[in-house]
Amino acid sequence: MIGLPEDKVIITVAQTGALVTKSMNPSLPEQPQEIAESAHACYSEGAAICHIHARDKEGKTTGSKEVFQQIHDRIRAKCDIIIQDSTGGGPNLTSEQRIECLHAKPEMASLNMGSLMRVSGQYAGIPFSNMREDIETYVTRMRELGVKPEMEVYSHAMFREVENLISKGLVDKPYYINLVLGMKYQGAVEATPRYLESLIDFLPEDAIFNVTAVGTAQLPLTTMGMILGGCIRVGMEDNIYYSKGELAKSNAELVARSVRIARELGKQPATPEEARKILGLSG
Ligand code: KMH
Ligand code: ZN
């Protein structure tokens, strides 16, 4: 059967990201040991997937295979949470650096389905470039290495790229599609219920969707995502606050709250093993 059982939700935690710093939230896990300890705490609360960005010793985003490997090894020493590396990387990385992580053999990796423009902050005017040719190169490398892509969709137009990969047989069912709302980039949709519902309308058949929403929208839109039959992603990559004016003490705190809400909605968080079966991962 392809699909997410009605009484399950796969929870991903995105703990670090590329842009958040310890000066914004001192609890941000950056170094391999911190990332692993936090991943274990999130796993204990009910997260099945851990989305990973790596930082160098100074806290700057890195694509280094060695650093990703250290993160993987430290996580694996603690728990069997599904490891999903970011190929979005960060604004300082080249396309080759962005996919170095695949050689550290994650089970999954993010695959961004189109280009956006950064419009504020120090990277304003630097595109988040994901040309069709790059997407196809990345997904081909993933296929060679047995890595399942999570397709990141930031606007309706990006479904054209999803369809392109499906029509070329470059992605396998179930298609795992992360609907990302509220990125402050030109070309990304706002985080509103209406946008979420309309993105869901465009999903291809045999897709399982996940909802990611940035900032204050994280809690309401991920809750809505569960109600609409999807999976969710929470964590400090997308939102550093627990509530208005109150910083999250940890990523695990954000996961724990979503698990409480899921249970109130009659859903259980999928274990990593259950999530592997649902997503067709070999483990
Ligand atoms: N920062 C997120 C909103 C990636 O890492 O490839 C999108 C993201 C993409 O997580
Ligand atoms: Zn990311």
PDB file of all heavy atoms in Angstrom, residues 14 17 51 53 86 110 233 237, ligand 2:
ATOM      1  N   ALA A  14      14.220  19.350  12.086  1.00  0.00           N
ATOM      2  CA  ALA A  14      15.265  20.102  11.374  1.00  0.00           C
ATOM      3  C   ALA A  14      15.927  20.961  12.440  1.00  0.00           C
ATOM      4  O   ALA A  14      15.398  21.992  12.843  1.00  0.00           O
ATOM      5  CB  ALA A  14      14.637  20.943  10.273  1.00  0.00           C
ATOM      6  N   GLY A  17      19.854  23.917  10.446  1.00  0.00           N
ATOM      7  CA  GLY A  17      19.739  24.822   9.301  1.00  0.00           C
ATOM      8  C   GLY A  17      21.065  25.462   8.940  1.00  0.00           C
ATOM      9  O   GLY A  17      22.130  25.110   9.454  1.00  0.00           O
ATOM     10  N   HIS A  51      16.681  15.917   9.862  1.00  0.00           N
ATOM     11  CA  HIS A  51      17.192  16.657   8.690  1.00  0.00           C
ATOM     12  C   HIS A  51      18.453  17.393   9.128  1.00  0.00           C
ATOM     13  O   HIS A  51      18.438  18.142  10.111  1.00  0.00           O
ATOM     14  CB  HIS A  51      16.096  17.633   8.227  1.00  0.00           C
ATOM     15  CG  HIS A  51      16.524  18.605   7.180  1.00  0.00           C
ATOM     16  ND1 HIS A  51      16.586  18.281   5.842  1.00  0.00           N
ATOM     17  CD2 HIS A  51      16.895  19.911   7.273  1.00  0.00           C
ATOM     18  CE1 HIS A  51      16.980  19.341   5.158  1.00  0.00           C
ATOM     19  NE2 HIS A  51      17.176  20.348   6.004  1.00  0.00           N
ATOM     20  N   HIS A  53      21.989  19.729   8.625  1.00  0.00           N
ATOM     21  CA  HIS A  53      22.950  20.664   8.032  1.00  0.00           C
ATOM     22  C   HIS A  53      24.199  20.588   8.900  1.00  0.00           C
ATOM     23  O   HIS A  53      24.092  20.484  10.132  1.00  0.00           O
ATOM     24  CB  HIS A  53      22.434  22.107   8.076  1.00  0.00           C
ATOM     25  CG  HIS A  53      21.319  22.386   7.121  1.00  0.00           C
ATOM     26  ND1 HIS A  53      21.485  23.145   5.981  1.00  0.00           N
ATOM     27  CD2 HIS A  53      20.016  22.030   7.154  1.00  0.00           C
ATOM     28  CE1 HIS A  53      20.336  23.236   5.334  1.00  0.00           C
ATOM     29  NE2 HIS A  53      19.414  22.573   6.025  1.00  0.00           N
ATOM     30  N   SER A  86      20.811  17.555   4.171  1.00  0.00           N
ATOM     31  CA  SER A  86      20.380  18.671   3.322  1.00  0.00           C
ATOM     32  C   SER A  86      21.311  18.790   2.124  1.00  0.00           C
ATOM     33  O   SER A  86      22.533  18.860   2.281  1.00  0.00           O
ATOM     34  CB  SER A  86      20.442  19.979   4.103  1.00  0.00           C
ATOM     35  OG  SER A  86      20.318  21.059   3.202  1.00  0.00           O
ATOM     36  N   SER A 110      17.431  16.017   1.153  1.00  0.00           N
ATOM     37  CA  SER A 110      16.504  17.002   0.587  1.00  0.00           C
ATOM     38  C   SER A 110      16.891  17.274  -0.862  1.00  0.00           C
ATOM     39  O   SER A 110      18.069  17.188  -1.234  1.00  0.00           O
ATOM     40  CB  SER A 110      16.534  18.297   1.404  1.00  0.00           C
ATOM     41  OG  SER A 110      17.826  18.871   1.367  1.00  0.00           O
ATOM     42  N   ARG A 233       7.273  18.691   9.867  1.00  0.00           N
ATOM     43  CA  ARG A 233       8.655  18.951  10.263  1.00  0.00           C
ATOM     44  C   ARG A 233       8.646  20.123  11.233  1.00  0.00           C
ATOM     45  O   ARG A 233       7.994  21.141  10.973  1.00  0.00           O
ATOM     46  CB  ARG A 233       9.467  19.277   9.015  1.00  0.00           C
ATOM     47  CG  ARG A 233      10.786  19.981   9.280  1.00  0.00           C
ATOM     48  CD  ARG A 233      11.619  20.051   8.029  1.00  0.00           C
ATOM     49  NE  ARG A 233      12.301  21.324   7.930  1.00  0.00           N
ATOM     50  CZ  ARG A 233      13.214  21.628   7.011  1.00  0.00           C
ATOM     51  NH1 ARG A 233      13.564  20.733   6.096  1.00  0.00           N
ATOM     52  NH2 ARG A 233      13.772  22.806   6.986  1.00  0.00           N
ATOM     53  N   GLU A 237      15.680  24.981  12.719  1.00  0.00           N
ATOM     54  CA  GLU A 237      16.052  25.469  11.378  1.00  0.00           C
ATOM     55  C   GLU A 237      14.986  26.432  10.869  1.00  0.00           C
ATOM     56  O   GLU A 237      15.297  27.417  10.198  1.00  0.00           O
ATOM     57  CB  GLU A 237      16.191  24.296  10.395  1.00  0.00           C
ATOM     58  CG  GLU A 237      16.346  24.761   8.950  1.00  0.00           C
ATOM     59  CD  GLU A 237      16.818  23.696   7.981  1.00  0.00           C
ATOM     60  OE1 GLU A 237      17.248  22.618   8.425  1.00  0.00           O
ATOM     61  OE2 GLU A 237      16.783  23.946   6.769  1.00  0.00           O
TER      62      GLU A 237
HETATM   63 ZN    ZN B   2      17.458  22.402   5.525  1.00  0.00          ZN
END
